[in-house]
Amino acid sequence: MLTVEGISTYYGNIQALKEINLKVEEGEIVTLIGSNGAGKTTTLLTISGLLKPARGRVTFCSRDITGVPPHNIVKMGISHVPEGRRIFPQMTLMENLEMGAFSRTDKREIKNDLEKVFHIFPQLKGREKQLAGTLSGGEQQMLAMGRALMSRPRLLLLDEPSMGLAPMIVKEIFQIIEEINSQGTTILLVEQNAQMALKTAQKGYVLETGRIVMQDNASSLLENDDVRKSYLGE
Amino acid sequence: MFVQQLVNGIILGSIYSLIALGYTMVYGIIMLINFAHGEIYMFGAFAGMILVVFYDVPFFLAFLLAMAFAGLVGLTLEYLAYRPLRRSTRLAALISAIGASIFLQNLALLIMGARPYTFPSPFTPRVYQSTLLTISKLEIIILAISFLLMIGLTFFIQKTKIGKAMRAAAQDIDTASLMGVNVNQIISITFLIGSALGAAAGVMVGIYFRTVTPTMGLMPGLKGFVAAVLGGIGRIPGAMLGGLLLGIAEVMAAAYISSQYRDAAAFAILILVLLFKPAGLVGSAIQEKV
C-alpha cells in the first residue's frame, strides 16, 4: 500500500533521513521505533508532504506522491496525527472534527462518520462545544485521532500517541489503535514506547540517526537482544 | 458634549477597526505586519473616487468595485512580495513590506500626481440634531457600513467552511494543511478580504473629508496598526475593539486636552500597550508556536 524508497530529507544542511526504505501492506499495523532524534517524525512528515525529500520516492496505492502538497495527500487517503496532537486549541471540539473532514463534501456520510468517532471515543461525546484547548492530554489525543479519522483515511500515520499520557490512558489509546485497525484502517505508528508499539504492531522498523538499522516481525523484534537492550530498557 | 465626542470617536474608531482587521488577519496567519496595508487603503480610495468622479458610476457600485480592486491588489502584493519569502526570516518579509509600501505610494504619485483630488460625498448633507448629539447622514452611513462589514466578517469567520479554515490556519498552519486546507489559497483569501475592508475604510474617509491623495494611507495605516496591537495582534475581535477604543481615545484627547495631541494620543497608547500589556486587550499570553 505504502512504499518508501530511499528517501533522504534535510533540514537546511542537516541530513535527517538517510535513504530510508519501508513498506506498509494493506491492513497492517507497522511501527517505527527509535530514540529521540532518530528521524521517526521526519519520516512521517515526508510521507504526508509537509517535508520534501531531496532524493527518493514515496508511493501510495501505486501512485507516486513524492512532493505532492499535504492538502492533496489527505485527499488520497493518508491522514496524519502529528506529534504533540496539534489540535486547534481555540476551536471547539466539534469544529476540530469538522476540520478533519475539510476535504470532503458528502455531508450525510460526514455525519455518519461523526457518529462513528463518538462511538470509538465516547469521552468526547456531549462536549462538542467545549474549546479543544481545555481538554486533558488524553482527550486531546483522542480528539486528534478522531479528527484524523474524519477524513476517512485508508492509511493513518500516528506520531507518538502515548506521549505525556498516564499509563492507564496509554493502554486505552493502544486498544483504540487496534480497534481502528480492525475496522480496516492501515496504520503506521511512530513510538518511543517501543514495548507497547511492538506488542500492537505486526511489523517493526528500528531507526537510528536517520537510518533503518533493523526490520523484522514485531514479535521477533521484541525478542531481539539489541532491541531489548536499547529500546526496552532491559 | 461628552456623548457627542463619544459618537465622533466611535465613527472614527469604526474606520480604524476596518483597517486594523487587515493587519490582524494577515498577522494571524503568516506573522507578518503588512506595512503596505495603508497603501491598499489609499488605492481603494482612489479607485472609488475615479469611478465616481471620472466614470459616473453610482456610489455603492463604485464602493464595491473599489473593494474588489483593492482586494486584487492585496492578493497580487502577497503573491509578488511575500510569498517568495515565506520560508525566509520574518525580518526579510517585513523589509519587503516596507518596500512594497514605498513602491505603491510612489506608483500612485506617478500615475495621479501629487495634487489632492476632490471626492464629493454622494449623500445630501443632511444633519440630525438633538440636545445631546449632532450627526450627519454621511456619518450614520459610515457607521452602518462599518458595522455591517464587521458583522459580516464575524459571521464568515465563525460559520463558513473557509472561515473555519482561516481560523485553523491561524492557530496551526501545518496542521491545517494536514486537514486538507490549501494554505496558499487561505493566505490569498485573507489578503483579499483584509484589503477589501481597508479599501472600504479608504473610500469612506475619502468622502468624509472629500479628498484623496497618494499619501493619505500613511497615518491611517499606522493608526490601524496601533489599533490592531491594542486589541491584540492576530485577534479579529481585538482589532474591532482596538479600533473603536483608539478612535474614542483620540477624539477625547483632541476635545479635552488639545487637538494637537490627537496623533500623540494614538502613539502614546501604542507605547503604553507595548509596555504593560504587550499581548493586547483580547490577547492571551504570547504563545510561540513550536
Side-chain angles (χ1 to χ4, degrees):
Chain A
M1 181 182 227
L2 177 80
T3 314
V4 172
E5 292 165 279
I7 53 166
S8 297
T9 303
Y10 292 76
Y11 292 105
N13 292 324
I14 299 157
Q15 186 169 7
L17 297 184
K18 294 163 188 158
E19 305 197 1
I20 299 278
N21 291 296
L22 60 88
K23 235 185 168 113
V24 181
E25 303 293 348
E26 181 130 32
E28 280 185 321
I29 300 182
V30 174
T31 186
L32 201 57
I33 59 172
S35 52
N36 244 339
K40 306 185 298 290
T41 296
T42 309
T43 306
L44 292 193
L45 292 174
T46 310
I47 295 170
S48 61
L50 277 173
L51 293 175
K52 289 188 179 35
R55 290 180 298 280
R57 197 156 63 138
V58 183
T59 321
F60 178 65
C61 297
S62 38
R63 284 165 86 177
D64 187 347
I65 61 165
T66 325
V68 174
H71 61 265
N72 288 334
I73 287 186
V74 197
K75 286 179 196 141
M76 295 175 182
I78 299 182
S79 197
H80 184 164
V81 181
E83 185 180 14
R85 331 186 212 294
R86 306 277 285 262
I87 45 127
F88 301 113
Q90 283 149 34
M91 295 174 96
T92 65
L93 194 151
M94 191 55 138
E95 286 173 334
N96 268 271
L97 293 176
E98 285 170 10
M99 283 311 297
F102 184 82
S103 54
R104 296 171 57 184
T105 48
D106 45 341
K107 277 198 176 153
R108 199 172 298 160
E109 289 293 300
I110 291 175
K111 231 176 167 185
N112 282 338
D113 287 353
L114 267 177
E115 288 306 313
K116 277 187 200 159
V117 167
F118 284 126
H119 183 76
I120 300 174
F121 305 102
Q123 292 93 325
L124 301 180
K125 202 164 171 105
R127 306 167 71 174
E128 289 84 349
K129 292 198 170 153
Q130 193 174 335
L131 282 187
T134 65
L135 296 171
S136 74
E139 290 160 351
Q140 292 192 7
Q141 184 59 48
M142 292 177 192
L143 177 59
M145 287 166 65
R147 182 180 66 178
L149 289 176
M150 287 304 294
S151 70
R152 274 209 178 165
R154 300 176 64 185
L155 172 66
L156 187 62
L157 310 178
L158 291 173
D159 197 345
E160 303 264 6
S162 75
M163 192 166 77
L165 300 182
M168 284 282 287
I169 297 169
V170 173
K171 229 174 140 186
E172 204 182 332
I173 295 276
F174 273 89
Q175 273 165 10
I176 292 168
I177 291 173
E178 286 182 12
E179 189 186 332
I180 292 170
N181 177 248
S182 70
Q183 288 174 11
T185 310
T186 309
I187 290 173
L188 177 56
L189 169 68
V190 155
E191 257 303 334
Q192 283 206 53
N193 187 339
Q195 179 95 29
M196 284 297 264
L198 289 172
K199 278 185 181 160
T200 311
Q202 287 98 46
K203 231 166 61 189
Y205 290 85
V206 181
L207 208 55
E208 226 166 67
T209 55
R211 259 184 241 284
I212 302 257
V213 292
M214 235 184 285
Q215 64 184 83
D216 209 335
N217 291 325
S219 51
S220 315
L221 286 175
L222 262 176
E223 310 279 294
N224 184 294
D225 283 343
D226 289 336
V227 173
R228 292 177 80 96
K229 220 180 285 165
S230 311
Y231 301 108
L232 302 177
E234 286 175 24
Chain B
M1 165 83 169
F2 180 77
V3 175
Q4 179 71 54
Q5 299 304 342
L6 189 66
V7 171
N8 291 348
I10 292 172
I11 294 167
L12 179 66
S14 66
I15 296 281
Y16 289 158
S17 297
L18 288 181
I19 303 170
L21 281 167
Y23 282 105
T24 235
M25 288 168 70
V26 164
Y27 187 87
I29 291 191
I30 57 171
M31 308 279 150
L32 165 78
I33 305 291
N34 175 17
F35 272 117
H37 190 54
E39 274 59 51
I40 302 277
Y41 156 99
M42 173 268 291
F43 267 54
F46 263 104
M49 181 278 292
I50 289 170
L51 287 169
V52 168
V53 174
F54 295 112
Y55 295 98
D56 284 328
V57 178
F59 175 74
F60 281 107
L61 180 62
F63 186 82
L64 292 175
L65 289 174
M67 284 176 74
F69 170 73
L72 292 178
V73 174
L75 200 137
T76 312
L77 172 74
E78 188 273 326
Y79 191 80
L80 295 178
Y82 305 143
R83 188 166 298 189
L85 297 170
R86 187 84 53 77
R87 302 274 160 198
S88 319
T89 61
R90 283 163 68 178
L91 185 63
L94 190 69
I95 292 168
S96 186
I98 294 169
S101 164
I102 296 169
F103 170 76
L104 289 174
Q105 199 183 108
N106 282 281
L107 185 68
L109 278 166
L110 195 69
I111 298 172
M112 302 305 293
R115 75 175 177 90
Y117 286 80
T118 308
F119 193 169
S121 166
F123 305 108
T124 45
R126 179 186 283 189
V127 171
Y128 304 91
Q129 260 177 324
S130 73
T131 44
L132 278 175
L133 188 64
T134 305
I135 191 166
S136 71
K137 185 177 172 188
L138 177 60
E139 287 171 329
I140 293 173
I141 286 171
I142 289 176
L143 270 179
I145 292 178
S146 303
F147 280 91
L148 275 178
L149 286 172
M150 284 192 263
I151 292 166
L153 177 74
T154 305
F155 176 83
F156 179 78
I157 295 285
Q158 290 297 327
K159 297 292 177 204
T160 66
K161 198 168 174 180
I162 294 177
K164 285 175 190 171
M166 287 170 73
R167 276 155 61 210
Q171 288 170 51
D172 189 334
I173 202 159
D174 282 345
T175 305
S177 73
L178 289 179
M179 303 293 116
V181 175
N182 181 344
V183 168
N184 280 331
Q185 214 171 58
I186 290 297
I187 292 170
S188 293
I189 294 171
T190 303
F191 270 87
L192 188 84
I193 295 175
S195 303
L197 293 175
V203 173
M204 289 193 288
V205 169
I207 55 172
Y208 190 68
F209 293 113
R210 292 159 195 268
T211 45
V212 292
T213 68
T215 51
M216 69 182 280
L218 181 66
M219 214 25 128
L222 287 174
K223 301 274 182 68
F225 169 63
V226 173
V229 172
L230 172 61
I233 188 108
R235 302 293 183 115
I236 287 172
M240 298 178 186
L241 181 70
L244 291 176
L245 288 178
L246 184 68
I248 293 167
E250 224 187 277
V251 169
M252 293 296 174
Y256 294 104
I257 304 171
S258 153
S259 63
Q260 286 172 341
Y261 284 112
R262 209 184 175 104
D263 294 342
F267 296 111
I269 287 175
L270 176 66
I271 292 167
L272 290 175
V273 170
L274 290 177
L275 279 178
F276 295 109
K277 206 161 182 326
L281 297 174
V282 186
S284 50
I286 298 163
Q287 308 166 345
E288 264 305 315
K289 287 176 190 170
V290 186

